[in-house]
Amino acid sequence: MSPTIFHRVKRVVLGPARDVTDRSIFHKLSLIAFFAWVGLGADGLSSSCYGPEEMFRVLHLHPFLAVFVAIGTAITIFTISASYSQIISLFPSGGGGYLVASKLLSPKVGMVSGCTLLIDYILTIALSVASGIDALFSLFPPQYHVYKLPLIMVGILFLILLNLRGVKESVITLLPIFLAFVVTHLIVIVYVFGVHSLDLPTLVQNTSSDMTVSFKELGFFGALALMMKAYSMGAGTYTGIEAVSNGMPILREPKIQTAHRTMRYMSISLAFTAVGLITAYALYELKPSDTQTLNAVLFERITANWTAPFGSIFVWITLLSETALLFVAAQTGFLDGPRVLANMALDKWFPTKFASLSDRFVTHNGIIMMGVAAGIVLAISLGSVHYLVVLYSINVFITFSLSQLGMVRHWWQVRNSEPKWRRKLIVNGVGLMMTSFILISVIVLKFEEGGWITLLITGSLVAFVSLIQWQYKVTSQRLKHLDTLVEATELQPAINERKSQPVNTEFDPFAPTAVILVSGFNGPGLHTFFTVLRRFKNVYKNFVFVSVGSVDAGNFKGIEEIDHLTEHVKTEVDRYVRLAQTHGFYAESFPLIGTDVVQTIMENSPQIMKKFPNAIFFGTQIIFTEEIVFSRWLHNYTLFAIQRKLSYDGIPMLVIPIRTYREADDLQKGAVTAR
């Protein structure tokens, strides 16, 4: 079948398909620490564009109190980074908040952590893109701001397409942007400290005087409360630190060393930038603006006395680099959000299609969902950064706290076998206290301002995914009876009928052939085989069993996993061959590996038809006695897609239905009908 216009356009936009059998594919797709810092660390580093500003908005009437908040910010960054480094060592294949909470606390707690992470990553994309456009429009007069929202939507679409091409391409494309941000902000911070270091005695005196006035006006506890509020309102500064532990599967071997190096790059750069900017705001005693970001105000103040036009050019370059980096930061949502979604899908909290990979080896369904969800949030909020910041950071600190709690529990449980358990427990314990304090503070401070919306959405998502898994469990329980039903009503009678017949497995390529699509040696596959024997007695002389091992987010972790999947598929499908041979038929197996079951079968069907010209394909489709809205969305209906494509190529295919039964009485009725 020739490629459609859609597929041709897709190849041009997203690139050609990658070969899953290429043994060097994982090396080609993985990231070294530097590129991982770009792709995963951009979220944390870009938070310096809005996190420090939210802190300083609370303190701008008492600017030099920001010095203490800056110190607390640095301590918090290094503490959370140290605690997540221990998570990386314990979960080398990927230790995001979902997996940590699921394995160290309970699956349901892990589900809550996963849901909070998904909402957080959606808001990461939304807030990063909105903040980037805000930084860009700080360069233009207010009358042009009506174009902000349309440009935001264009940015979301661009990022979706970029990520559908693949992880490494998206990171390398944005590398110059990341470096421009780092260099320009390094120049700003070094310049600020260099200029003010020449007047250090005056600076110390001004800081002391401001602190004295603040404590006199507010009192000791009032000043302390104000600083704690600023510290909590800047919680968005710490988001993104967990990205490395979530992104372990895309890191270059040895993964643990690469991850630790990436974490160091991230924590040092974030602490330096955040502390530097907060201190700069205080030194220049800036006032928040409604039309410009605080960074834009700072850059204009710094360059006011520079020789024209170098000052204006530097401001433009710096703000453009901020805009671009915030778009890079949205990558964290597109890199880690679909990965969390895929892990939850493998555990049946979400439809399993979210764990599937495209032929570019990206979780395309998750990327599209994250982008669309972020677009909806931006449309509802009209791209307001201040509104999105209110919604942001609550969820990530729920995940932070649950992950730290799980680690504390783990170190306590292994205290008899882990020599350094005390030190490790202290690190995660301090992390737990810090993240819990910030979480409680943020909920209290942001609740009435709109934080309740985040909690409501997260709670609704928790209820929704619980319903999805319940539906999967119900279906699984009904299908468990299928194996018993097949063995009781089909398998044993068929074997008895064939016992007395001689085994004849002579190959006749022109004899009628049944090509049976199976997904492992299980009830549905056996049901198909014996239904063909029963419904088409003495018709088919050859049997071909085709099984596709689906490469998804669960097994796309290394060449060893792919080898294991290949061996497993061959072992399973060969069991059907031996079963058919014991019944006196010629049989062959076609074990296949691919990311798209439909496409893989279509690519191999000409080979099958060439060897067996008189073949008819068979497959089993589960039919629900009472189909609900979830049925088609949750369960696999790829067989109908295969039938449609085979029919287009002139290859006949029959679909054999299997009904699911709700009650034991229905099962008995089904058994009678089958007999």
Side-chain angles (χ1 to χ4, degrees):
M1 190 168 73
S2 60
T4 63
I5 295 178
F6 170 78
H7 286 94
R8 291 173 182 170
V9 173
K10 177 184 173 184
R11 286 289 166 264
V12 172
V13 175
L14 303 184
R18 286 176 166 139
D19 184 7
V20 71
T21 62
D22 182 0
R23 300 190 69 83
S24 65
I25 191 66
F26 291 95
H27 183 80
K28 293 176 181 178
L29 296 179
S30 62
L31 302 177
I32 61 174
F34 179 77
F35 287 135
W37 178 41
V38 175
L40 301 175
D43 180 24
L45 191 56
S46 70
S47 65
S48 62
C49 299
Y50 50 82
E53 177 171 347
E54 291 302 312
M55 291 181 184
F56 197 75
R57 281 179 177 273
V58 179
L59 295 172
H60 72 275
L61 296 177
H62 306 274
F64 286 96
L65 293 180
V67 174
F68 297 99
V69 177
I71 294 171
T73 297
I75 293 172
T76 303
I77 290 170
F78 288 120
T79 301
I80 295 177
S81 298
S83 61
Y84 265 90
S85 292
Q86 295 190 162
I87 291 176
I88 288 169
S89 298
L90 191 62
F91 293 90
S93 61
Y98 169 68
L99 292 176
V100 173
S102 296
K103 294 183 178 181
L104 300 184
L105 295 174
S106 75
K108 288 187 177 179
V109 174
M111 176 267 291
V112 172
S113 181
C115 288
T116 59
L117 264 181
L118 286 175
I119 300 297
D120 179 69
Y121 283 132
I122 290 170
L123 290 172
T124 293
I125 297 170
L127 180 57
S128 297
V129 174
S131 297
I133 298 300
D134 263 11
L136 177 63
F137 275 80
S138 293
L139 297 167
F140 300 101
Q143 60 264 31
Y144 291 100
H145 288 198
V146 294
Y147 300 107
K148 284 169 63 174
L149 189 58
L151 193 57
I152 284 172
M153 294 305 175
V154 172
I156 290 289
L157 180 60
F158 168 75
L159 288 171
I160 290 174
L161 294 176
L162 191 62
N163 280 276
L164 288 175
R165 284 190 64 87
V167 173
K168 196 164 188 178
E169 282 84 349
S170 64
V171 171
I172 293 176
T173 302
L174 300 172
L175 175 61
I177 295 166
F178 184 85
L179 294 179
F181 176 92
V182 171
V183 171
T184 54
H185 286 68
L186 178 63
I187 292 173
V188 167
I189 294 170
V190 171
Y191 177 84
V192 169
F193 280 89
V195 169
H196 286 82
S197 65
L198 300 176
D199 195 19
L200 188 59
T202 303
L203 178 62
V204 173
Q205 184 179 355
N206 290 342
T207 304
S208 177
S209 299
D210 187 76
M211 288 174 52
T212 301
V213 171
S214 299
F215 282 115
K216 186 175 180 180
E217 291 179 358
L218 303 172
F220 175 78
F221 291 105
L224 182 62
L226 187 66
M227 287 189 289
M228 297 310 295
K229 180 179 180 181
Y231 173 76
S232 300
M233 290 302 290
T237 306
Y238 317 116
T239 58
I241 295 177
E242 83 291 348
V244 179
S245 63
N246 282 330
M248 292 293 288
I250 64 171
L251 300 184
R252 182 72 55 85
E253 294 286 357
K255 292 181 183 292
I256 294 179
Q257 289 87 332
T258 302
H260 285 160
R261 192 175 298 116
T262 305
M263 185 68 81
R264 285 195 295 273
Y265 294 164
M266 181 189 297
S267 58
I268 293 171
S269 59
L270 176 57
F272 177 81
T273 308
V275 171
L277 288 175
I278 294 171
T279 308
Y281 300 157
L283 293 174
Y284 282 93
E285 300 185 37
L286 301 183
K287 306 297 180 186
S289 169
D290 293 330
T291 58
Q292 289 182 301
T293 65
L294 206 56
N295 281 359
V297 176
L298 173 66
F299 302 150
E300 289 181 354
R301 285 281 298 275
I302 290 173
T303 60
N305 298 322
W306 290 16
T307 304
F310 296 110
S312 297
I313 293 174
F314 181 80
V315 171
W316 271 80
I317 293 174
T318 306
L319 288 177
L320 287 174
S321 74
E322 281 197 359
T323 300
L325 183 75
L326 284 158
F327 272 79
V328 178
Q331 284 297 96
T332 303
F334 282 112
L335 291 176
D336 284 344
R339 189 169 294 109
V340 173
L341 195 59
N343 287 331
M344 295 184 74
L346 293 171
D347 292 334
K348 303 298 177 66
W349 293 110
F350 276 94
T352 52
K353 63 182 68 177
F354 284 109
S356 63
L357 300 176
S358 71
D359 55 16
R360 297 286 296 176
F361 301 135
V362 296
T363 48
H364 55 296
N365 291 322
I367 289 171
I368 293 171
M369 196 203 86
M370 298 298 290
V372 170
I376 293 172
V377 169
L378 286 164
I380 294 174
S381 66
L382 300 179
S384 171
V385 171
H386 294 305
Y387 181 74
L388 290 171
V389 166
V390 171
L391 303 180
Y392 196 49
S393 75
I394 291 178
N395 277 9
V396 72
F397 277 94
I398 294 176
T399 300
F400 278 173
S401 300
L402 291 176
S403 297
Q404 301 304 324
L405 178 61
M407 292 296 290
V408 167
R409 183 187 182 193
H410 169 75
W411 298 129
W412 180 255
Q413 289 176 333
V414 301
R415 62 188 183 279
N416 294 326
S417 57
E418 173 56 57
K420 299 180 181 178
W421 71 271
R422 285 188 178 85
R423 182 179 64 81
K424 294 181 178 181
L425 186 144
I426 290 172
V427 171
N428 287 119
V430 173
L432 174 61
M433 288 189 291
M434 280 188 170
T435 55
S436 299
F437 171 78
I438 296 174
L439 172 62
I440 295 170
S441 301
V442 170
I443 291 176
V444 172
L445 293 171
K446 293 186 176 182
F447 187 81
E448 293 186 357
E449 297 179 15
W452 63 271
I453 298 175
T454 304
L455 297 175
L456 177 63
I457 294 174
T458 304
S460 300
L461 183 60
V462 167
F464 181 65
V465 301
S466 299
L467 183 61
I468 289 176
Q469 194 186 61
W470 172 81
Q471 173 65 17
Y472 273 125
K473 282 184 177 180
V474 169
T475 303
S476 178
Q477 289 170 356
R478 295 174 186 174
L479 293 180
K480 281 182 180 178
H481 297 292
L482 185 61
D483 291 331
T484 305
L485 180 63
V486 170
E487 292 175 4
T489 61
E490 301 283 347
L491 181 56
Q492 192 60 43
I495 292 176
N496 290 337
E497 289 176 9
R498 294 285 183 176
K499 271 184 178 178
S500 58
Q501 298 182 14
V503 175
N504 179 17
T505 58
E506 183 179 348
F507 174 51
D508 180 1
F510 297 99
T513 303
V515 180
I516 300 179
L517 306 181
V518 296
S519 59
F521 194 77
N522 51 30
L526 293 172
H527 175 86
T528 306
F529 175 60
F530 287 113
T531 298
V532 172
L533 290 183
R534 181 163 52 88
R535 297 291 187 185
F536 303 93
K537 284 186 177 180
N538 302 320
V539 174
Y540 295 103
K541 307 302 180 184
N542 303 324
F543 281 84
V544 177
F545 298 94
V546 180
S547 181
V548 179
S550 181
V551 179
D552 58 26
N555 50 43
F556 190 69
K557 296 178 179 178
I559 195 63
E560 296 81 8
E561 290 282 348
I562 300 299
D563 290 342
H564 177 73
L565 175 64
T566 304
E567 182 181 350
H568 174 74
V569 172
K570 187 177 188 310
T571 300
E572 290 288 288
V573 76
D574 283 348
R575 294 175 67 183
Y576 285 104
V577 171
R578 291 193 295 271
L579 178 64
Q581 289 173 345
T582 61
H583 284 69
F585 300 106
Y586 177 83
E588 280 191 22
S589 66
F590 271 78
L592 307 171
I593 299 293
T595 58
D596 187 324
V597 174
V598 178
Q599 186 65 28
T600 303
I601 288 176
M602 294 308 301
E603 289 172 354
N604 288 273
S605 59
Q607 179 185 353
I608 297 172
M609 294 303 297
K610 183 178 181 180
K611 187 171 184 177
F612 301 94
N614 294 317
I616 294 180
F617 281 67
F618 290 88
T620 295
Q621 180 62 56
I622 299 170
I623 305 298
F624 295 90
T625 52
E626 292 183 3
E627 190 168 286
I628 62 174
V629 177
F630 285 118
S631 298
R632 287 189 175 273
W633 193 48
L634 298 181
H635 301 289
N636 195 343
Y637 280 71
T638 54
L639 197 69
F640 294 135
I642 295 171
Q643 185 184 41
R644 184 172 61 252
K645 288 182 177 291
L646 287 174
S647 298
Y648 184 87
D649 286 351
I651 301 174
M653 178 175 179
L654 296 179
V655 176
I656 297 174
I658 293 181
R659 287 198 301 165
T660 58
Y661 299 96
R662 293 195 305 165
E663 307 292 344
D665 292 342
D666 290 336
L667 283 171
Q668 293 176 3
K669 292 176 184 178
V672 172
T673 303
R675 292 191 186 101

